[in-house]
Amino acid sequence: MRFVAAFAVFLFHTGLSMNPMELTGPPISPFADDTVASWYESLFSNSGFVGVSVFFVLSGFVIAWSARPGMRATAFIRRRLVKIFPNHLVMWALVMLLFATPRADWTVWLPNLFLVHPLIPDLDISLGVNMPAWSLGSELLFYLCFPLLVGPISRIASNRLWLWAAAMVAGLAVYKILAVTVVPDGGGTGVAIEPDLRYWFGYIFPVGRMFEFGLGAILASIVRSGRWVRITPVPAAVLMVLGYVATLFTPAQFALNLVTVIPIGLLVASLADADVRGARTGLQGPVFVWFGKISFGFYLCQSVTIFYLRAATGGPQYSTPVAVLVLIGLFATSILGGWCLHRFVEMPMMRRWASARRPRTDVDPAREHSA
């Protein structure tokens, strides 16, 4: 499922009518036909936001599902840091080498290096250097907070779990209302959808994304406790599609993640419940498992494989059939980049540094690694 989310981000990135990294060249979209290019961009205009929200809900679910009594906070945080930082550092260095250095002084690249840049209310910083890495700042906050949350979540009475899940959604709704009523515009146009400061507060600021992570963690307890209402994946997927269509007609701030957070939560939990029951979902096969393994790298390398590559080649636009082939080429290049990061960076670092040398029994290694 992580790969489906990362592919949604890919569709969003390849449809943009501007290069978000401010690189020279024509639009990212390879379609010369303005009608087709506009249709493609409009159709996937919110898919990237939905994909990231899936990452956050799924992260909360899988990490909570894999937690075990006696889990040591230091061991957990160590594994999570080793999971995200090596890939991030490689892409940070590559982006700095290829195109970011002339545009980024130390006030931009230093916070990005340590993944604290989403905390800074300046889009030149919070979306600077390797743009997809902004979401890792939220993941870092999730990881640091989870050892403090796992105990309270595990002590929630099973008959109150749904109430707490609803509270996460309500909390996100209140946060969004604050974003549009209290936070000033701050000037600028954000990413062509919201003024800079409001977009940062409502979407980039990691604290605001804790509700999605918390929802995922509570849904894991619901499925584990047997309180799941047995919504199966097919109707959950239909609801997800309807939720996405609704985002195309919803005010920007609410379309970013509020409209789809319930469908996303239901889809994640329904797929997990299906796995527990041994039901087929179409995602358990070796192909999807492999795509899932490389999904982190596939997502993280898109600033280079899409934004930089389109600019470096002059960003030419093509007839619709040729443009489709270009999209397939960008997809294949991103897959290759994701595989390289997984095979030569992520896995060696996980094997070498993710676990202490002495034997440990606080988690199920296979399930924790899958997180």
Side-chain angles (χ1 to χ4, degrees), residues 109-177:
W109 62 255
L110 187 61
N112 192 285
L113 177 63
F114 292 102
L115 294 180
V116 297
H117 56 302
L119 299 171
I120 301 173
D122 181 339
L123 294 187
D124 288 336
I125 297 175
S126 56
L127 295 177
V129 190
N130 187 30
M131 191 181 70
W134 74 265
S135 64
L136 301 187
S138 292
E139 292 282 3
L140 182 61
L141 178 65
F142 302 160
Y143 300 155
L144 295 176
C145 291
F146 183 72
L148 303 176
L149 299 175
V150 61
I153 290 175
S154 67
R155 290 191 291 272
I156 297 175
S158 60
N159 62 347
R160 292 180 176 271
L161 286 169
W162 278 108
L163 180 62
W164 277 97
M168 293 297 102
V169 177
L172 180 59
V174 170
Y175 187 84
K176 289 294 182 179
I177 293 172

Side-chain angles (χ1 to χ4, degrees), residues 61 65 218-228 269-270 272-273 276:
F61 190 103
W65 186 270
I218 292 169
L219 286 171
S221 293
I222 288 173
V223 175
R224 179 182 284 137
S225 68
R227 292 274 176 169
W228 179 242
S270 68
D273 177 68
V276 170

Side-chain angles (χ1 to χ4, degrees), residues 2-25:
R2 285 182 303 182
F3 180 77
V4 175
F7 183 64
V9 176
F10 172 86
L11 294 174
F12 169 73
H13 284 160
T14 53
L16 292 175
S17 58
M18 55 171 283
N19 195 317
M21 304 308 299
E22 298 184 353
L23 298 170
T24 58

Side-chain angles (χ1 to χ4, degrees), residues 141-327:
L141 178 65
F142 302 160
Y143 300 155
L144 295 176
C145 291
F146 183 72
L148 303 176
L149 299 175
V150 61
I153 290 175
S154 67
R155 290 191 291 272
I156 297 175
S158 60
N159 62 347
R160 292 180 176 271
L161 286 169
W162 278 108
L163 180 62
W164 277 97
M168 293 297 102
V169 177
L172 180 59
V174 170
Y175 187 84
K176 289 294 182 179
I177 293 172
L178 290 175
V180 298
T181 59
V182 177
V183 179
D185 287 356
T189 57
V191 186
I193 56 168
E194 283 278 323
D196 287 358
L197 188 59
R198 189 174 294 166
Y199 177 74
W200 168 81
F201 181 82
Y203 188 71
I204 302 294
F205 188 39
V207 174
R209 309 311 296 258
M210 286 292 297
F211 296 105
E212 292 150 280
F213 179 79
L215 174 64
I218 292 169
L219 286 171
S221 293
I222 288 173
V223 175
R224 179 182 284 137
S225 68
R227 292 274 176 169
W228 179 242
V229 293
R230 287 293 170 89
I231 297 175
T232 57
V234 172
V238 171
L239 184 61
M240 181 69 251
V241 172
L242 294 176
Y244 180 75
V245 172
T247 68
L248 303 177
F249 305 95
T250 305
Q253 191 60 235
F254 301 102
L256 292 172
N257 56 350
L258 179 60
V259 172
T260 53
V261 70
I262 293 177
I264 288 171
L266 295 178
L267 182 59
V268 169
S270 68
L271 287 167
D273 177 68
D275 278 347
V276 170
R277 293 184 288 107
R280 287 184 173 275
T281 64
L283 298 179
Q284 301 103 325
V287 174
F288 261 108
V289 170
W290 183 84
F291 276 124
K293 288 179 179 179
I294 69 164
S295 59
F296 178 36
F298 172 76
Y299 166 76
L300 204 57
C301 74
Q302 289 181 23
S303 278
V304 172
T305 60
I306 299 174
F307 306 147
Y308 174 76
L309 189 59
R310 289 287 291 152
T313 57
Q317 294 176 292
Y318 307 91
S319 65
T320 299
V322 177
V324 171
L325 295 177
V326 171
L327 288 175

